Amino acid sequence: LEHEESPGVSNLKIMGTQVSTSKKQDRTVGSSTYHKELGDIYSEEERNVVCLLGLSTLEEASVEKKQLLKAKVTGFDVVSGDLFEVEKTYFMTRNTDTVSDSQKSLRVDIHRNRLVTVEVLDEAKALADDKNLDKAKEVIKGAIEQLESSQSAGEVLTQSLVKDLKESLKDMVNQFEYSTKGNKKMAMYSRSHG
């Protein structure tokens, strides 16, 4: 996978990128181009690469398409024995209707909550693994408050995310409880939402 950002767009982070040790790790990107080996992908398998993008502000709405990202996947098809390349360009518009489209912004909020949950679980797990349970609990409590006060708080997925965060918090009663089951559950929740 190779992707390149357009002017005014910065790739802040690649979420949950797999590394050689098979552990999830967010990758901060310091340039406009990113290359990633995805490994083998089987015939009916799909892979999602979630990117956190920073967009420049616009003074006024415009129906003109703005290029965000150009992605290219290259690989080898073992069935046909051929190399292949697929290229896709992603655009967005910022028109005046977008602001009032509550259904779209609700979906965006739900996915933002999902990404927040993954980041918080990973951060809290790292803190708890370093025997800093109090700080880990604070991080999770802050995320619970954020999700419960979000626009999509009443949606099923957001409620499920809050439930998983609260369950993680319950498994942090003490270091023994955390190390025997809490850390494994947190890793599972992070993988399932990332």
Side-chain angles (χ1 to χ4, degrees), residues 115-166:
L115 294 177
V116 164
T117 300
V118 170
E119 283 190 323
V120 163
L121 285 169
D122 290 346
E123 180 183 352
K125 186 177 180 320
L127 287 165
D129 287 346
D130 286 341
K131 305 205 181 336
N132 194 347
L133 279 181
D134 292 335
K135 182 67 177 159
K137 288 184 211 178
E138 281 178 39
V139 169
I140 291 177
K141 286 177 185 175
I144 291 169
E145 288 175 16
Q146 182 180 345
L147 269 62
E148 288 180 333
S149 64
S150 70
Q151 177 187 353
S152 63
E155 297 296 314
V156 173
L157 180 56
T158 299
Q159 290 174 348
S160 173
L161 296 170
V162 169
K163 181 180 171 227
D164 290 349
L165 288 169
K166 286 180 177 179

Side-chain angles (χ1 to χ4, degrees), residues 10-194:
S10 60
N11 193 342
L12 304 177
K13 196 177 279 189
I14 308 293
M15 305 294 288
T17 306
Q18 295 294 325
V19 294
S20 58
T21 59
S22 299
K23 290 173 67 179
K24 288 177 84 175
Q25 176 180 337
D26 292 343
R27 186 79 43 92
T28 302
V29 178
S31 69
S32 66
T33 304
Y34 177 75
H35 300 271
K36 173 67 183 150
E37 288 287 328
L38 295 176
D40 292 341
I41 299 178
Y42 301 100
S43 62
E44 297 300 318
E45 183 181 358
E46 291 182 11
R47 297 263 175 102
N48 292 322
V49 179
V50 180
C51 304
L52 182 61
L53 299 176
L55 304 177
S56 59
T57 57
L58 293 178
E59 296 300 320
E60 55 188 51
S62 169
V63 293
E64 183 180 322
K65 285 184 176 181
K66 176 175 174 47
Q67 183 175 320
L68 288 179
L69 187 69
K70 188 184 289 186
K72 180 170 60 173
V73 175
T74 55
F76 180 76
D77 184 339
V78 294
V79 175
S80 68
D82 292 329
L83 293 173
F84 69 87
E85 183 174 293
V86 178
E87 196 167 309
K88 179 83 175 167
T89 304
Y90 298 91
F91 297 91
M92 69 167 276
T93 58
R94 289 186 177 170
N95 55 33
T96 54
D97 296 337
T98 303
V99 175
S100 64
D101 189 348
S102 62
Q103 193 60 28
K104 281 185 185 174
S105 61
L106 184 65
R107 285 194 312 239
V108 168
D109 192 59
I110 290 168
H111 288 290
R112 182 182 301 121
N113 286 344
R114 184 175 60 82
L115 294 177
V116 164
T117 300
V118 170
E119 283 190 323
V120 163
L121 285 169
D122 290 346
E123 180 183 352
K125 186 177 180 320
L127 287 165
D129 287 346
D130 286 341
K131 305 205 181 336
N132 194 347
L133 279 181
D134 292 335
K135 182 67 177 159
K137 288 184 211 178
E138 281 178 39
V139 169
I140 291 177
K141 286 177 185 175
I144 291 169
E145 288 175 16
Q146 182 180 345
L147 269 62
E148 288 180 333
S149 64
S150 70
Q151 177 187 353
S152 63
E155 297 296 314
V156 173
L157 180 56
T158 299
Q159 290 174 348
S160 173
L161 296 170
V162 169
K163 181 180 171 227
D164 290 349
L165 288 169
K166 286 180 177 179
E167 187 69 28
S168 297
L169 202 54
K170 278 199 281 187
D171 292 333
M172 292 182 154
V173 174
N174 56 47
Q175 197 65 44
F176 176 77
E177 190 79 17
Y178 169 76
S179 61
T180 55
K181 67 177 179 176
N183 63 351
K184 293 156 193 68
K185 282 169 71 175
M186 287 176 73
M188 178 195 68
Y189 291 146
S190 177
R191 278 192 307 274
S192 71
H193 298 308

